[in-house]
Every structure is written in structure tokens, then in C-alpha cells.
Amino acid sequence: MSAIRLLVLGAVRQHGRAHGYQVRNDLEYWGAHEWSNAKPGSIYHALKQMAKQGLLLAHEIAPSTAGGPPRTEYEITDKGIREYLKLLREALTAYDQKPDVLSAALGFMVDLEREEALELLEERVRVIEEWRASVTEYYTPVDGPEQLGHIGEIMNFWVYSADRGAEWTRGLIERIKGGAYTFAGEGEPFMGVLAEGVENPYATGESHPGDRQ
Amino acid sequence: MSAIRLLVLGAVRQHGRAHGYQVRNDLEYWGAHEWSNAKPGSIYHALKQMAKQGLLLAHEIAPSTAGGPPRTEYEITDKGIREYLKLLREALTAYDQKPDVLSAALGFMVDLEREEALELLEERVRVIEEWRASVTEYYTPVDGPEQLGHIGEIMNFWVYSADRGAEWTRGLIERIKGGAYTFAGEGEPFMGVLAEGVENPYATGESHPGDRQ
DNA sequence: TAGATATTAGTCAAACTTGACTACCAGTTT
DNA sequence: AAACTGGTAGTCAAGTTTGACTAATATCTA
């Protein structure tokens, strides 16, 4: 599973009602176009698809107030909210080596209550440790690890990544336990979206070294 | 770019001549179905596509000797070898946070000479460091990092991952400098493929905790 | 030896992703 | 006032990915 559905559902939900271009801008504000597949085509596709599936409600809307073609606004449905929370919880818990899914979830974790976020992250650490145990036991050849030759570096890399992933998660857990951030039910939420008419200080369209097409 | 083309080209090349099912088995032997998109549909699609593009040569071949439908065998062309080496060098050098591409490249790095592999990996470290510098400068708000709220955890996670990625790469460089593995032109290469008729000790089809569909 | 099961090899439709392209309007030049 | 520039909003075809399905032979088992 990619991160696109979680990102789009979360963005629409924060706005209450949003058209595709708004979602696209929010995600760019987050830098999501750099670390996920949140590109225009994917966003518009996801919006239509999820509308068809009843996760979003599409309003055919009047021509734009600010130039450009008419736009369609979307609202999240109850079913959409349930799906959103399901995806969010999964993304925080599951270890699948896809950093974009976790990144998306980090952006939305404060939609949960602090306690639940902590539980999910602790579960994440457990899942990673279990994965590590299972994979090292399973892929260690009976005749010693030399058997694998340079192929062993692949596993070495996975295991190293898993260990660092668990370590980072533990750090996040400590920060959250220490009172960082404002979670659901703790007052005025931090707004990770752009207000209408505010320009994005980060999304200049410039590219950075190491960017990949 | 996904890892599938590199994986398929590399597997066909190691065999000299291979049909889809053979490629599929090799990649399963590597565990590639767990950490990349090397699933049947993608493999057969990549074979056909690359044959159409002249990277592979398709031989319409007699019915299978071991049951099942007739099979098509593929051979890598000169153009295919050039593309393979290009993908391999790119995968070793570029930092795009997609661990499957690097994993695939690790499996094939010994097709290069030791010196070149080292240069590419050192370049990789440079690219990661450059990426880190650019991204931290670029995304650090003028009014201090608190501005970002929990969204800052996304960047924190990227930067942490980049640092660990560079660290791991440096470790690999040391191991290779220390004489590990057999690179091109250094004698009998290590065979990362299954010989015909040898059963795969790892690919049982069992799943592990944390696996994702 | 008939039926069940496993293995070999691959196909296919549906969904998703990508990057380039279109179209519209506002403001700014020439 | 015609042409250009730039932002807004979205479409589209081509390519890719997925997971379930087919089809053929071999092997086991009652």
C-alpha cells in the first residue's frame, strides 16, 4: 500500500471541504511530493476513486474564484473517517520498510489521542523486533553466514535498517511521553495546512541534490 | 524507478538464458519478493517490456521439460547489458530513500570491479551528505524549528534515516576495502542464483511477522 | 488406477502511477 | 489592445503493479 490514500484523506479531513488543488498544495507544503507519490495525477485519481468508493463525497462546484477551470470539492464521509483512522493506525504500527507510509502517519498522528499513539508506536517497536528475530533466524544458513557471500549484505542492510527504525521509534515515544505536541482532545490542534491565500514558504519547485525522478 | 528492471536484467544475465519462472525463483531465493515488487506479474511484464525495447532477446521456446505450459526464454542483449550497468551504477550512487533499489544493487555490485564499486559507494555517501545539508537548510523555518510542530518529526525522520544510511554505507566501504567478497576480474564469482534442479532452502512461501501485502 | 494434490509456467483485468499536456483567467508588457 | 507571463485547476495516455486466476504435467495416495 502506498501513502497516497492516507495523505489525501487526511488533507481533505483537515480542511472539512477541499478541492484537488488545495490538497495538492497542502501535501507540497509538507514536502510530500519529495518523499511520497503525492503527485497531481495520483492525487486526482485517489480523490475520484475514493469518491466512487464512498469514502469521499464529491460536490460538483461552480467555476473557480481565482482563475482556472471549475473545480470539484470533496468532503470526507463517515466511512471515509473510519478508513482514515484504520490506515493511520496501520501506518503507525506496521513495519514495511516504506518510509513514505510512516512519514504520512507522523503528519497525522496527532489526530489520535496521546495514549493511543503511544500504544501504536510501542506496538511498532514490538513488530520490528519480531520481524528481526524471525528474519535472522530464517535466513541464517545452517553452514554459517559465509555461505551467503555478498548476498548477505542485503540482509545485513535490512537488519540494520530495522534496528535503526526501532531506535528512532523509541526516541519518538520518549518525546511524546515527555509532553511534546498537541494530540486529540488536548486543545487547539496544530494546523498542518495552509490557510486560504497564504503562500507556501517551502514549495518553490526547486530541486535538491539527490532528488530522484 | 523501482528495482524490478535491475533485478530482472541481473538475473537473466547471470543465467545467460532464462525463462520467467527461473527469474522468479532466483528472486525468491534472494527474498526479493519480500523487500521489492518482484512479484510474478511484474516480472513477466518487465520481461516482455524489455524484450520490446531490445534489452532482452526473446526465444519462443518448446514446451516445458518439467510440466506446465510452454515457456519463453530470454537472453540479455548488448543494449541490455549497457542498461543493466547503468541502472546498477545509479542504484549504488543515488539516495532516494527506497531501500529496495539499494538492496537489489547490493546483490549485483560484484559485477563491477572493486575499485569502481568503492567509488560509487563513496559518491553515495557524498550525495547523502549533500542532500542532508540542503534539506536541513531549506526546511528549517526562520522563526525556529518549533514552528513546524509535530510536522517536524517527518523531517527529523528523514534526516535520521539519511544519517544512518550514510553510516551503513561507510561500514560497507570498510568491509569492501578490507577485501570482502569477490568482485569482477577477481576469479570465480560467487553465484547468487540457483542451479537447475536445486531447491530453494529459503523460499517456503511462509510469511513472517510484520509482512505487508 | 482414479482422484487429489503439488509444481511448473504464465495470463489477465483492474487499479495505480507518471509526466506531459490542456484550458482558463489575471495582470503586465510592449 | 495584442502578446506574453504566471498561477490555478485538472485531464489523459502510456506504462506499471497487483492479486487472483488458468492450464498443463507430475506425483502421491487410497
Side-chain angles (χ1 to χ4, degrees):
Chain A
M1 194 226 1
S2 85
I4 189 79
R5 284 177 162 242
L6 177 57
L7 286 168
V8 169
L9 281 175
V12 170
R13 184 174 161 284
Q14 287 203 342
H15 273 290
R17 205 174 216 252
H19 52 92
Y21 195 66
Q22 235 160 13
V23 171
R24 183 174 163 179
N25 265 323
D26 278 3
L27 297 184
E28 204 162 272
Y29 176 58
W30 288 27
H33 55 299
E34 299 212 337
W35 48 260
S36 81
N37 60 334
K39 288 152 202 175
S42 298
I43 293 170
Y44 287 106
H45 172 75
L47 284 169
K48 280 186 184 160
Q49 198 65 18
M50 293 196 296
K52 213 163 81 182
Q53 293 167 5
L55 306 177
L56 295 175
L57 188 62
H59 304 273
E60 287 297 337
I61 268 303
S64 155
T65 57
R71 54 206 191 179
T72 310
E73 292 198 328
Y74 295 89
E75 228 174 332
I76 194 165
T77 63
D78 285 356
K79 191 175 164 192
I81 291 180
R82 282 196 300 278
E83 176 72 5
Y84 167 68
L85 292 173
K86 189 186 135 211
L87 290 176
L88 176 54
R89 291 181 175 122
E90 261 178 40
L92 282 173
T93 317
Y95 179 60
D96 60 359
Q97 290 114 314
K98 280 179 214 136
D100 57 333
V101 177
L102 177 60
S103 297
L106 294 175
F108 294 123
M109 64 179 173
V110 294
D111 282 343
L112 303 172
E113 283 174 13
R114 189 177 295 265
E115 264 319 305
E116 186 180 5
L118 282 170
E119 274 163 33
L120 293 169
L121 291 169
E122 272 155 8
E123 173 67 8
R124 178 184 190 82
V125 172
R126 270 194 298 282
V127 168
I128 296 178
E129 281 164 353
E130 221 179 308
W131 178 88
R132 183 201 208 281
S134 127
V135 102
T136 49
E137 185 228 2
Y138 192 60
Y139 275 88
T140 303
V142 196
D143 322 329
E146 308 77 30
Q147 282 284 310
L148 287 175
H150 68 280
I151 300 292
E153 287 292 353
I154 297 178
M155 198 184 88
N156 179 306
F157 175 63
W158 299 346
V159 170
Y160 180 91
S161 301
D163 289 346
R164 295 316 127 223
E167 184 178 286
W168 186 85
T169 306
R170 282 190 212 100
L172 176 60
I173 289 172
E174 285 321 306
R175 291 192 286 285
I176 294 175
K177 275 191 182 157
Y181 315 125
T182 307
F183 284 78
E186 299 180 348
E188 202 55 35
F190 179 88
M191 267 295 103
V193 297
L194 293 166
E196 193 91 25
V198 173
E199 127 236 45
N200 181 345
Y202 302 124
T204 63
E206 274 172 43
S207 63
H208 312 294
D211 278 6
R212 268 292 196 95
Q213 267 49 263
Chain B
M1 192 224 5
S2 85
I4 189 81
R5 284 177 162 243
L6 178 56
L7 286 168
V8 169
L9 281 175
V12 170
R13 184 175 161 284
Q14 287 202 342
H15 273 290
R17 205 177 216 252
H19 51 90
Y21 195 66
Q22 234 161 12
V23 171
R24 183 174 163 180
N25 264 323
D26 277 3
L27 298 184
E28 205 161 275
Y29 175 57
W30 288 27
H33 57 299
E34 300 212 335
W35 47 261
S36 81
N37 60 334
K39 288 153 203 174
S42 299
I43 293 169
Y44 287 106
H45 172 76
L47 284 169
K48 279 186 185 162
Q49 199 65 18
M50 294 196 296
K52 210 165 82 183
Q53 291 167 7
L55 305 177
L56 296 175
L57 187 63
H59 304 273
E60 288 295 338
I61 269 301
S64 154
T65 58
R71 54 205 192 180
T72 310
E73 292 199 330
Y74 295 90
E75 228 174 332
I76 195 165
T77 63
D78 285 356
K79 192 174 165 193
I81 290 180
R82 283 196 299 279
E83 175 73 4
Y84 167 66
L85 292 173
K86 190 185 136 212
L87 291 176
L88 176 54
R89 290 181 175 121
E90 262 178 39
L92 283 173
T93 318
Y95 179 60
D96 62 355
Q97 291 114 313
K98 282 179 213 134
D100 57 334
V101 177
L102 177 59
S103 296
L106 294 175
F108 294 123
M109 65 179 172
V110 295
D111 282 344
L112 303 172
E113 285 175 11
R114 189 177 296 265
E115 263 319 306
E116 186 180 5
L118 282 170
E119 274 163 34
L120 293 169
L121 290 169
E122 272 155 9
E123 173 67 9
R124 179 182 191 83
V125 172
R126 271 194 298 282
V127 168
I128 295 178
E129 281 165 353
E130 220 180 309
W131 177 88
R132 184 201 208 282
S134 129
V135 102
T136 49
E137 185 229 2
Y138 191 59
Y139 274 89
T140 303
V142 195
D143 322 328
E146 309 76 31
Q147 281 285 310
L148 287 175
H150 69 282
I151 300 291
E153 289 291 353
I154 297 177
M155 200 185 85
N156 179 306
F157 176 64
W158 300 344
V159 170
Y160 180 91
S161 301
D163 290 346
R164 296 314 128 224
E167 184 178 288
W168 187 84
T169 306
R170 282 191 211 98
L172 176 60
I173 289 172
E174 286 320 306
R175 291 191 287 283
I176 294 176
K177 275 192 182 156
Y181 315 123
T182 308
F183 284 78
E186 298 180 348
E188 203 54 38
F190 179 89
M191 268 294 103
V193 297
L194 292 166
E196 194 90 26
V198 173
E199 128 235 46
N200 180 346
Y202 303 125
T204 63
E206 273 172 43
S207 63
H208 312 295
D211 279 4
R212 268 292 197 94
Q213 266 47 265

